[in-house]
Amino acid sequence: MNAKELKSKKLYKEFSLEIPYEEVDIEITNKIKQILPTANIPGFRKGKAPINIVKKKYEDSFLNETIQKVIDSNTKKLIDEKKFSLFRQPKVEITKYEKNKPLILNLKFDLKPQIKLKDFKDLKVNKYEIELGKKAEENQFKNFIDSQKNFKKIETSRQVKNSDKVIVNFESYQEDLPEYLKSQKNFPIDLSFDDGILPGLNKELIERKVKTGDKIELIINLSKILKDEKFKKTTFHFEIIAIEEKIKFELTKEFLDKNGFKTEKDFKDFLVSNIKTQYQQGIKQIEKKELMDLLDNSYNFELPEGVLEDDFNQIWTRLEQAKKDGTLDEDDKLLNDTDLKKRYKKISERRVKLGLLMQHIASEEKVVVSEEEINMGILEYTRQYPGQEKQIMEYFEKNPSSKDTIRAPLIEQKVMDSIVSKSKTNVIKLNEDEYKKLEVKTFDIKDTKK
């Protein structure tokens, strides 16, 4: 084995490794010797063929397995020789392979950073509690009533209003359209929203001042939703079947019974409980962000270059795809590629740093997640996808490594709980306005109205 160092940084090492082919040949010969007594070669009695003839016939079938064994053995030898403390499995690439010539590898090693944990009792963390007053509770009920939409078919012949719902039949004769866009009967369109399958249709119907019974032809741009320029001018034929006007929603006994509530008070209590749960989930995210900020500011250590590179490349691939799809965040659209890379390299460094720190804390604190906790986590995950529970459970059973997507956040939460339990905590009570200001401050939420 001949090792040549190509790159050397504190937590990143790259080597070119040359392995004599004799090592591969010896391993193959040993394999051949094992099958020699049972080898069937034409012209020879069973097990009596010369080893060189048996080898010529069977060596290719052992080649891949043997090469991998030789690679693993030499990689381990180099790790032991250099006394590397690995953060993750090395990246191994065969750069040159020819029979009877040296096997040449490229090896990349990411090493563990040196992290010395500080005493968590010196950390000061905030715990938040939401307090909703009577006014906030009443507003929640009012917001629910205002958000409900009841419609009633109009009997008079009048033009549509932007608060109406219109029922239409439509069809298009353009080729290659998805079936659901070729024709629909009794298709409802809420004119106050432009979130349907035919973008801009609500605006067109209002501008055309359509009435029940009207038949119109419209050209609609479907290129964005179908991601194909040939659908930029797609012709549709519409027939207005009915117009329904919005009517005030009333909390009736029928509504309460249908939704499992005995009284209006029960329903109001449910709404208050629901909004408190939403606030508590928000508070959990705020507390997590504040704790991560504290840890980020409290620790400074070297980061493995290879891990940083992989993490940033994953982020950049998603950004490139977002640019192609036109879904890039508005803030990101304002930056050129150089500044965008600076922004996300900084984000990547924070992600990697905190990920390493949380892993180290979990190891030092001996934080583990039981199979029972993972199974409970999977059940909780499946509840987010009603009707697909069985398929999701089967997927986790067939792909054990996928359980890491459940295990990782459970470990992270346990680590955070452990840190907080040892820290100085400051309990802060918030009303709605205070919570919203804290949320904006914590996540740097921009005012979209500006």
Side-chain angles (χ1 to χ4, degrees):
M1 177 182 79
N2 181 24
K4 181 181 178 182
E5 192 169 62
L6 303 178
K7 286 185 183 180
S8 179
K9 294 194 175 182
K10 189 170 183 180
L11 297 178
Y12 176 80
K13 310 290 180 183
E14 186 174 343
F15 284 82
S16 175
L17 192 64
E18 184 178 295
I19 304 171
Y21 188 80
E22 287 77 7
E23 288 192 36
V24 177
D25 192 57
I26 289 169
E27 287 294 332
I28 290 176
T29 300
N30 289 337
K31 285 280 186 183
I32 297 301
K33 286 179 179 177
Q34 291 175 20
I35 66 167
L36 198 60
T38 57
N40 282 313
I41 303 294
F44 297 92
R45 285 184 295 161
K46 183 177 180 180
K48 298 300 180 181
I51 188 170
N52 62 320
I53 294 177
V54 178
K55 185 177 181 181
K56 186 175 181 181
K57 180 176 181 180
Y58 289 106
E59 68 176 323
D60 285 348
S61 62
F62 294 122
L63 195 58
N64 289 339
E65 177 188 346
T66 302
I67 288 175
Q68 189 59 55
K69 182 178 178 181
V70 169
I71 289 173
D72 291 345
S73 172
N74 281 273
T75 301
K76 184 179 184 305
K77 195 183 297 181
L78 180 62
I79 292 168
D80 293 342
E81 180 185 304
K82 299 294 182 181
K83 298 180 180 179
F84 288 156
S85 178
L86 296 183
F87 170 72
R88 62 180 180 180
Q89 288 297 312
K91 289 186 176 181
V92 181
E93 179 187 359
I94 298 175
T95 55
K96 189 175 181 181
Y97 168 73
E98 290 181 46
K99 195 171 181 181
N100 297 319
K101 290 187 178 181
L103 177 66
I104 300 177
L105 310 175
N106 179 267
L107 301 176
K108 296 176 181 178
F109 302 99
D110 289 298
L111 310 183
K112 286 181 181 178
Q114 295 296 316
I115 304 174
K116 185 177 180 181
L117 291 184
K118 300 178 181 181
D119 197 332
F120 294 130
K121 72 179 182 181
D122 295 328
L123 277 180
K124 296 178 181 179
V125 299
N126 294 326
K127 296 291 289 178
Y128 297 100
E129 294 178 2
I130 190 74
E131 290 186 328
L132 295 179
K134 283 294 179 184
K135 184 179 178 181
E137 294 177 7
E138 287 301 323
N139 283 340
Q140 177 65 8
F141 179 68
K142 183 179 181 299
N143 290 338
F144 171 81
I145 297 298
D146 291 343
S147 69
Q148 298 307 296
K149 288 194 172 183
N150 275 6
F151 292 92
K152 180 182 179 182
K153 183 178 178 181
I154 63 171
E155 302 300 333
T156 58
S157 177
R158 70 156 172 81
Q159 299 171 357
V160 292
K161 299 176 182 178
N162 57 13
S163 59
D164 288 339
K165 180 164 72 174
V166 179
I167 312 300
V168 303
N169 293 341
F170 72 80
E171 61 182 343
S172 176
Y173 304 114
Q174 182 160 331
E175 295 181 358
D176 301 329
L177 270 180
E179 286 298 321
Y180 73 94
L181 286 174
K182 286 183 178 178
S183 68
Q184 291 269 9
K185 298 288 186 183
N186 297 314
F187 186 76
I189 304 159
D190 187 340
L191 296 184
S192 61
F193 289 99
D194 183 19
D195 59 354
I197 60 175
L198 299 174
L201 177 57
N202 62 331
K203 184 179 178 182
E204 289 280 359
L205 294 178
I206 293 168
E207 288 180 352
R208 294 287 188 107
K209 300 178 180 179
V210 297
K211 300 178 181 178
T212 301
D214 284 356
K215 294 181 180 180
I216 61 172
E217 181 181 289
L218 294 175
I219 295 175
I220 296 178
N221 184 355
L222 300 176
S223 60
K224 285 188 178 179
I225 63 170
L226 297 181
K227 294 181 173 54
D228 193 327
E229 285 298 311
K230 72 180 177 182
F231 297 114
K232 194 166 185 177
K233 293 183 177 181
T234 307
T235 301
F236 285 90
H237 301 276
F238 292 90
E239 180 182 4
I240 311 303
I241 303 301
I243 297 174
E244 298 180 0
E245 62 182 355
K246 185 179 177 181
I247 59 174
K248 185 178 179 181
F249 174 80
E250 293 182 1
L251 196 65
T252 62
K253 186 177 185 304
E254 181 185 359
F255 174 87
L256 293 171
D257 289 344
K258 183 179 178 181
N259 290 279
F261 299 103
K262 292 181 179 180
T263 65
E264 183 176 308
K265 183 181 181 303
D266 290 340
F267 179 65
K268 285 184 176 181
D269 289 344
F270 168 78
L271 291 178
V272 171
S273 173
N274 189 49
I275 192 65
K276 280 185 177 179
T277 299
Q278 291 178 37
Y279 276 123
Q280 284 161 2
Q281 290 171 348
I283 283 171
K284 192 175 179 181
Q285 293 305 311
I286 290 171
E287 290 174 346
K288 176 181 176 180
K289 173 67 165 53
E290 287 188 350
L291 178 58
M292 291 302 180
D293 288 344
L294 280 172
L295 293 173
D296 187 22
N297 294 329
S298 299
Y299 287 88
N300 189 25
F301 50 86
E302 293 279 344
L303 302 177
E305 185 179 280
V307 179
L308 272 175
E309 184 180 347
D310 287 349
D311 187 78
F312 175 75
N313 287 341
Q314 288 177 13
I315 293 175
W316 192 251
T317 299
R318 290 198 296 269
L319 286 170
E320 292 281 12
Q321 189 60 50
K323 280 196 276 187
K324 288 180 183 177
D325 296 341
T327 57
L328 204 63
D329 288 347
E330 292 301 318
D331 280 357
D332 291 337
K333 288 178 182 178
L334 301 174
L335 302 178
N336 58 37
D337 277 2
T338 300
D339 290 334
L340 200 58
K341 283 182 178 179
K342 284 181 182 177
R343 169 181 284 181
Y344 281 96
K345 278 184 178 178
K346 188 175 179 181
I347 290 171
S348 179
E349 286 171 4
R350 175 185 163 96
R351 277 171 33 129
V352 171
K353 177 183 179 180
L354 290 173
L356 290 170
L357 182 58
M358 296 299 275
Q359 286 183 35
H360 185 70
I361 296 171
S363 175
E364 291 293 305
E365 301 277 316
K366 295 181 173 52
V367 175
V368 293
V369 175
S370 68
E371 276 300 312
E372 183 181 356
E373 287 173 311
I374 292 173
N375 291 334
M376 289 296 292
I378 291 173
L379 283 174
E380 192 65 32
Y381 178 78
T382 61
R383 291 192 186 105
Q384 300 174 38
Y385 303 93
Q388 301 178 47
E389 292 89 346
K390 185 179 178 182
Q391 296 94 313
I392 293 172
M393 293 294 286
E394 287 176 352
Y395 176 80
F396 279 112
E397 287 173 8
K398 292 176 182 177
N399 302 275
S401 63
S402 64
K403 290 184 178 180
D404 287 342
T405 59
I406 304 296
R407 181 183 290 105
L410 290 175
I411 289 178
E412 182 183 76
Q413 187 58 53
K414 280 193 168 187
V415 170
M416 291 195 303
D417 291 344
S418 176
I419 294 171
V420 172
S421 69
K422 298 178 176 68
S423 305
K424 297 174 184 176
T425 56
N426 180 32
V427 179
I428 301 173
K429 297 183 184 293
L430 302 170
N431 59 34
E432 266 193 312
D433 289 340
E434 290 167 338
Y435 168 84
K436 289 172 183 175
K437 287 176 183 177
L438 178 63
E439 185 181 43
V440 169
K441 178 185 174 184
T442 304
F443 299 108
D444 192 24
I445 299 170
K446 300 291 188 294
D447 187 350
T448 56
K449 294 178 182 178
K450 290 183 179 179

